[in-house]
């Protein structure tokens, strides 16, 4: 009961803060930019040196993100099957390389079963709560991340990954700039009070332009197909960010971790990238078929 009261108090504070006007910048901008540039450099080097190195970068990222998410859920009293999630997550990612979607689906299914069996050792008390948290972790982090690995596998994989990431980064930058300059109307005040409809409009504009340019210049496809690609990626990126905000508010925490100055944890940077990787793989497979 004490733990529940404490979590309730923390959530009450979080919701009370939602009613206060946010700062216009909202984060340590110089640190955030420096970290963002550093992460971008690591990704670009891995893509242009050897495409398969990108999978190794993603593998490290999902291990850290899984650990962060498991720790955050543990703070809310949810016991995650950490080792099945970590080991199975790596298998889900790496089996995308030789076996594609079949390897991803098979490894994810086996990982889910392992999580169900792992938790049986502690009996029925909280079983459904804990396995639900474990399955959420497996799906949200390694399963979604495996689609990023499948993006890079074709001969034009570097262009596919860059198209996905540039659209998401354009969404973030466009939304941030428009929100700072003109943000007046909250998009989801009880979930993320710093997001505004004006910021979403900026995200959509930047994402659609980025999508059109990337599909045309990087993948030699029809530019007009990049417009709906960019718009849909912006929509899912925004939803991913809001989903993580909901999780953090439910748990009564500010950030998933503290690894990245100006950002928080690595999950703070991956919340929009993870679900959009799945969508980018699906849409690019339709818009720019692999030859």
């Amino acid at each position: 009961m004490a733990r529940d009261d404490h979590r309730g108090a923390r959530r009450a504070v979080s919701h009370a803060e939602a009613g206060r006007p946010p700062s216009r910048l909202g984060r340590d901008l110089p640190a955030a930019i420096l970290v963002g540039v550093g992460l971008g450099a690591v990704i670009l080097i891995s893509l242009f040196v050897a495409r398969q190195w990108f999978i190794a970068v993603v593998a490290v990222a999902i291990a850290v993100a899984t650990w962060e998410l498991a720790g955050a859920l543990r703070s809310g009293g949810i016991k995650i099957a950490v080792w099945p999630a970590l080991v199975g997550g790596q298998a889900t990612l790496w089996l995308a390389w030789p076996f594609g979607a079949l390897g991803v689906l098979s490894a994810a299914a086996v990982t889910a079963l392992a999580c169900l069996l792992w938790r049986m050792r502690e009996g029925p008390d909280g079983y459904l709560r804990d396995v639900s948290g474990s399955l959420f972790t497996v799906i949200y982090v390694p399963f979604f991340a495996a689609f990023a690995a499948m993006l890079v596998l074709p001969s034009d994989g570097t262009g596919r990954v860059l198209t996905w990431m540039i659209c998401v980064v354009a969404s973030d930058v466009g939304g941030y700039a428009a929100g700072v300059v003109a943000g007046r109307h909250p998009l989801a005040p009880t979930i993320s009070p710093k997001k505004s409809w004006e910021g979403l409009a900026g995200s959509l504009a930047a994402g659609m332009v980025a999508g059109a340019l990337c599909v045309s210049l990087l993948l030699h496809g029809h530019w007009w197909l990049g417009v709906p690609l960019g718009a849909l990626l912006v929509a899912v990126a925004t939803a991913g960010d809001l989903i993580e905000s909901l999780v953090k508010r439910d748990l009564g925490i500010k950030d998933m971790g503290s690894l990245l100055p100006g950002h928080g944890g690595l999950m703070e940077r991956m919340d929009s990238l993870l679900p959009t990787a799945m969508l980018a793989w699906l849409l690019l497979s339709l818009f720019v078929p692999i030859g």
Side-chain angles (χ1 to χ4, degrees):
M1 288 296 294
R3 182 180 64 194
D4 292 339
D5 291 343
H6 181 56
R7 288 180 59 204
R10 287 188 297 174
R11 285 197 292 269
V13 171
S14 296
H15 287 295
E17 289 174 347
R20 297 207 302 256
S23 67
R24 300 299 285 170
L25 293 179
R27 59 182 173 182
D28 185 348
L29 187 59
I33 292 174
L34 185 62
V35 169
V37 170
L39 292 174
V42 171
I43 292 169
L44 289 175
I45 291 170
S46 70
L47 285 171
F48 287 106
V49 171
R51 294 196 318 277
Q52 289 74 14
W53 279 106
F54 174 72
I55 301 178
V57 172
V58 176
V60 173
I62 66 168
V64 174
T66 299
W67 187 266
E68 286 182 347
L69 182 55
L73 293 174
R74 193 183 303 115
S75 73
I78 304 172
K79 300 175 183 178
I80 301 301
V82 178
W83 289 110
L86 286 171
V87 175
Q90 292 297 308
T92 300
L93 177 71
W94 285 104
L95 287 178
W97 188 352
F99 301 115
L102 178 61
V104 171
L105 291 172
S106 300
V110 172
T111 302
L113 178 59
C115 290
L116 298 178
L117 296 175
W118 185 273
R119 178 57 181 78
M120 288 175 63
R121 304 174 303 162
E122 298 188 33
D125 186 26
Y127 179 80
L128 185 58
R129 174 201 62 202
D130 294 343
V131 297
S132 297
S134 295
L135 295 180
F136 170 75
T137 300
V138 168
I139 292 171
Y140 195 67
V141 183
F143 179 71
F144 281 162
F147 288 92
M150 290 195 290
L151 276 172
V152 82
L153 294 177
S155 58
D156 61 350
T158 296
R160 290 174 184 267
V161 171
L162 288 176
T163 297
W164 158 55
M165 299 198 75
I166 288 172
C167 286
V168 175
V169 171
S171 170
D172 191 25
V173 173
Y176 181 71
V180 168
V181 172
R184 296 292 183 273
H185 302 87
L187 175 64
T190 62
I191 301 174
S192 183
K194 294 176 184 177
K195 288 192 178 298
S196 64
W197 285 103
E198 293 82 3
L200 178 60
S203 291
L204 284 169
M208 289 188 291
V209 170
L213 291 174
C214 288
V215 168
S216 174
L217 299 177
L218 297 179
L219 299 175
H220 309 294
H222 300 294
W223 69 266
W224 53 270
L225 288 174
V227 175
L229 172 72
L232 289 170
L233 289 178
V234 167
V236 173
T238 303
D241 191 34
L242 291 174
I243 288 168
E244 194 200 23
S245 294
L246 276 171
V247 172
K248 291 189 292 188
R249 286 190 177 279
D250 186 33
L251 296 173
I253 60 176
K254 183 177 184 296
D255 292 315
M256 292 287 183
S258 57
L259 179 65
L260 304 177
H263 294 269
L266 190 60
M267 273 298 297
E268 269 69 39
R269 290 297 84 209
M270 294 182 67
D271 55 1
S272 56
L273 287 169
L274 289 166
T276 53
M278 175 270 298
L279 184 65
W281 180 79
L282 289 171
L283 292 178
L284 288 176
S285 296
L286 294 173
F287 294 168
V288 189
I290 299 170

